Amino acid sequence: MANCTHDCSTCSSNCGSRSKTSLIKAPHKGTKVKRVIAIASGKGGVGKSLVTSLLAVRARAQGLRVGILDADITGPSVPKAFGVTARATGSEDGIYPVETKSGIKLISMNALLEHDDDPVVWRGSLIAGATLQFWTDVIWDELDILFIDMPPGTGDVPLTVFQSIPLSGIVIVTTPQDLVEMIVKKAMGMANMMQIPVLGIAENMSYFTCPDCGKRYELFGKSKADDLARAYHVPTTARIPIDPALSELMSGGRIEEADTDCLASLYAELLRSREISSRQD
Ligand code: ADP
């Protein structure tokens, strides 16, 4: 490319030099993770943190050692969903994540700020750096699965995560009223560029079940998840209903009490993904 600076971290072009340069970073020496799954969405507010939290809750309930890396630095909502207010501690060696009631390890910007409502007013490059430190400087110990709650969109931070952390795969969260096609295309493009498989599409707010008559209503239009999955060869889809109980559990810090059955097949697909040792070389 004519204006190449030879710094791939500032450029998303899929040129010849990129394919020869691995930007994958090693985790902290006290970390041994089998699978890293990123949960991504095209825009905010579609339920990415909800899906991340529910998948982590399901994995933990099945006895796995689970972590959540909250990379949504400027709008971290995972600690609130779990009712975690503790601050992360550190030593010369690194940073120790906090733990939820059921024992899910969690690192989030909120666990490092003095007050939960302190704003993070940083440039993209600083935010990307902080996210990477959650991988390189946090002592995760041994985990079967680490979920990364990505910031929405396809900007600096998602790009850094995709390039630097060895992912087993990604899950894309959408809603039926989203411009799904465009968003999925963008996310697919990014994932393909980095050779990371898209393991599933989670369609949130997919329908509402009337509590009186049990009838299902597709409030935001007909579900597009299965058509999309077929078109883009994505192995699974999950449909999550609009459920006031879910938002109550999230805002009350009790997401560990939620029913996670709607994510059963997606979760099973995650377990079939390859382990990251094969992506670290
Ligand atoms: P994102 O991480 O994509 O910004 P969140 O997971 O934080 O989105 O969800 C945004 C808000 O919508 C939260 O208050 C959450 O409780 C609510 N919400 C998300 N999905 C549902 C759902 N299926 N039913 C009810 N409320 C939901």
Side-chain angles (χ1 to χ4, degrees):
M1 284 180 59
N3 48 2
C4 177
T5 60
H6 303 286
D7 178 2
C8 301
S9 64
T10 62
C11 169
S12 57
S13 172
N14 193 17
C15 74
S17 353
R18 175 180 303 281
S19 53
K20 290 189 206 99
T21 328
S22 171
L23 300 172
I24 297 280
K25 296 259 188 295
H28 188 280
K29 62 181 187 317
T31 296
K32 226 172 158 197
V33 182
K34 283 191 189 155
R35 285 187 175 78
V36 185
I37 309 284
I39 319 297
S41 69
K43 61 173 193 179
V46 298
K48 183 175 47 59
S49 303
L50 173 75
V51 171
T52 307
S53 305
L54 290 178
L55 285 170
V57 167
R58 188 167 186 92
R60 184 67 194 138
Q62 312 227 327
L64 267 57
R65 296 161 300 178
V66 183
I68 303 178
L69 187 165
D70 185 2
D72 204 345
I73 302 273
T74 53
S77 37
V78 177
K80 187 160 192 280
F82 284 89
V84 170
T85 51
R87 294 292 177 260
T89 52
S91 70
E92 293 219 330
D93 211 23
I95 305 165
Y96 297 96
V98 294
E99 268 194 33
T100 70
K101 291 179 210 82
S102 69
I104 296 170
K105 293 188 176 171
L106 167 64
I107 197 77
S108 166
M109 205 51 179
N110 269 14
L112 300 174
L113 296 174
E114 200 172 337
H115 307 108
D116 276 353
D117 47 9
D118 286 344
V120 178
V121 192
W122 291 354
R123 287 186 193 281
S125 54
L126 261 186
I127 295 179
T131 309
L132 260 194
Q133 278 184 290
F134 286 173
W135 172 246
T136 56
D137 297 2
V138 170
I139 305 166
W140 288 101
D141 203 356
E142 291 199 20
L143 292 181
D144 295 302
I145 190 156
L146 175 69
F147 293 100
I148 303 187
D149 187 4
M150 300 278 278
T154 45
D156 261 10
V157 185
L159 184 63
T160 304
V161 171
F162 276 35
Q163 285 176 328
S164 317
I165 301 182
L167 300 174
S168 301
I170 69 168
V171 170
I172 295 177
V173 183
T174 67
T175 62
Q177 84 270 37
D178 253 356
L179 293 171
V180 268
E181 185 103 5
M182 191 181 77
I183 287 162
V184 171
K185 259 189 196 160
K186 272 193 187 174
M188 298 285 178
M190 205 160 176
N192 278 344
M193 211 166 92
M194 313 290 169
Q195 296 171 338
I196 303 162
V198 178
L199 302 171
I201 297 173
E203 187 174 75
N204 188 28
M205 307 190 204
S206 190
Y207 59 90
F208 174 73
T209 307
C210 171
D212 298 325
C213 66
K215 196 173 165 202
R216 272 190 187 196
Y217 293 93
E218 295 186 314
L219 292 183
F220 297 126
K222 205 174 152 342
S223 171
K224 297 169 190 150
D226 286 341
D227 287 348
L228 268 169
R230 255 191 306 276
Y232 293 97
H233 310 288
V234 177
T236 9
T237 58
R239 296 180 67 189
I240 305 157
I242 299 171
D243 182 354
L246 279 176
S247 82
E248 236 170 75
L249 290 173
M250 264 196 107
S251 58
R254 298 188 294 124
I255 199 63
E256 280 158 305
E257 296 167 30
D259 183 340
T260 62
D261 282 354
C262 59
L263 293 175
S265 62
L266 174 59
Y267 173 73
E269 190 63 40
L270 304 188
L271 295 189
R272 280 194 283 272
S273 67
R274 63 187 162 171
E275 297 195 7
I276 61 167
S277 52
S278 59
R279 284 199 40 107
Q280 274 173 317
D281 35 56

